[in-house]
Amino acid sequence: MSDRVMSARLRNRTALVTGSTSNIGQAIAEAFAAEGAHVIVSGRNRERGAQVVEGIRASGGRADFLAADLDGSAAASEDLAERARETLGGRLDILVNNAGVYPAPGTIATDEKTFDQVYGVNVKAPFFLTAAVVPAMAQAGGGVIINLGSWIARLGVPLGALYSSTKGAMETLTRAWAAEFGPMGVRVNAVSPGVILPPAPEGAEPHPGEVMMKGTPAGRVGTPDAIAHAAVWLASDEAAFVHGTVVDVDGGRTGVAVIAA
């Protein structure tokens, strides 16, 4: 978080970011903290979680780590919601449903255990976590839910059926929850990332995902910070009139015709 400048768009806000011990979730947690929020970093890996928290605190931000294995059970989601509220002094303003898994066997090769695991982590866990946090948000005067979709929820790729269907579910839930919870003061939106990769070391071989971005307006893959910037905006008062929207942060991959080189 050393390259971030402390600002104040989320000052005095509290946030829980699931799956935030690495990659997109980590970038969102760091960006929220840089904007003044007290952030709960959550995930299964305690060592990585501690490192993220240490980095945020070293840059002047506020963060705590809570270990959680969001397997899809209502109990696991409800337990994390309760521990997060306690750690944050009783109030949770922002929830980012980021945690997810990506086994990508072909449909014919997908067994029932894998199917249930992917839907458990990617859909059931955020479903019950959202259900656990919304009542207190509404009682406190409002809150923000941000879901993570994916560009392959709307643009099919080989071997992506199982994962992309879970992200399609999250994008649909975004619209449904906006209708359900908006009148209660809880805004619900989503970010749909394109091909996102951490910055590669100088001289590294091209990543296979880079081919997916050839011919797009951006012409390259994105970095986790691109998603974090969008999440900060959706969480802030600047997006107060934004409800039920999926913000595509994908370099134009889904919205613009790709011209083969």
Side-chain angles (χ1 to χ4, degrees):
M1 172 167 157
S2 59
D3 60 337
R4 300 185 187 279
V5 177
M6 291 296 291
S7 182
R9 283 193 285 175
L10 301 180
R11 179 179 293 170
N12 298 325
R13 308 284 177 85
T14 60
L16 167 61
V17 183
T18 68
S20 49
T21 60
S22 64
N23 206 10
I24 289 174
Q26 177 180 347
I28 293 173
E30 291 174 345
F32 279 12
E35 292 290 345
H38 183 177
V39 181
I40 295 295
V41 175
S42 177
R44 289 177 292 184
N45 191 307
R46 291 178 181 272
E47 184 178 349
R48 288 206 313 250
Q51 290 173 351
V52 175
V53 167
E54 183 180 350
I56 289 173
R57 291 176 176 174
S59 296
R62 293 178 296 163
D64 293 281
F65 174 70
L66 291 178
D69 184 3
L70 297 177
D71 58 4
S73 66
S77 291
E78 291 163 0
D79 175 67
L80 176 59
E82 182 59 30
R83 286 187 290 135
R85 275 193 295 265
E86 289 176 0
T87 305
L88 293 168
R91 194 182 89 248
L92 176 60
D93 300 313
I94 305 161
L95 167 64
V96 180
N97 286 313
N98 170 73
V101 292
Y102 185 68
T107 298
I108 295 169
T110 300
D111 58 32
E112 187 174 9
K113 181 179 179 181
T114 301
F115 183 98
D116 289 344
Q117 177 200 17
V118 175
Y119 262 83
V121 175
N122 293 7
V123 181
K124 282 186 67 180
F127 184 96
F128 286 110
L129 184 55
T130 298
V133 304
V134 163
M137 281 183 174
Q139 188 175 18
V144 177
I145 310 288
I146 301 172
N147 297 320
L148 267 292
S150 173
W151 68 282
I152 62 172
R154 279 164 287 149
L155 193 62
V157 297
L159 304 181
L162 179 59
Y163 175 81
S164 63
S165 68
T166 66
K167 289 305 181 179
M170 290 310 298
E171 293 190 9
T172 297
L173 283 169
T174 296
R175 293 181 283 271
W177 283 340
E180 184 176 359
F181 303 138
M184 301 164 63
V186 179
R187 288 193 300 110
V188 186
N189 292 288
V191 181
S192 178
V195 182
I196 302 295
L197 297 171
E202 188 173 342
E205 291 293 318
H207 190 277
E210 292 181 14
V211 71
M212 296 284 193
M213 295 302 293
K214 287 187 176 180
T216 64
R220 59 176 176 80
V221 300
T223 62
D225 273 356
I227 309 306
H229 293 319
V232 166
W233 174 68
L234 286 173
S236 74
D237 291 340
E238 295 169 5
F241 201 55
V242 182
H243 292 259
T245 294
V246 178
V247 179
D248 292 324
V249 185
D250 63 4
R253 189 65 180 80
T254 55
V256 181
V258 174
I259 308 302

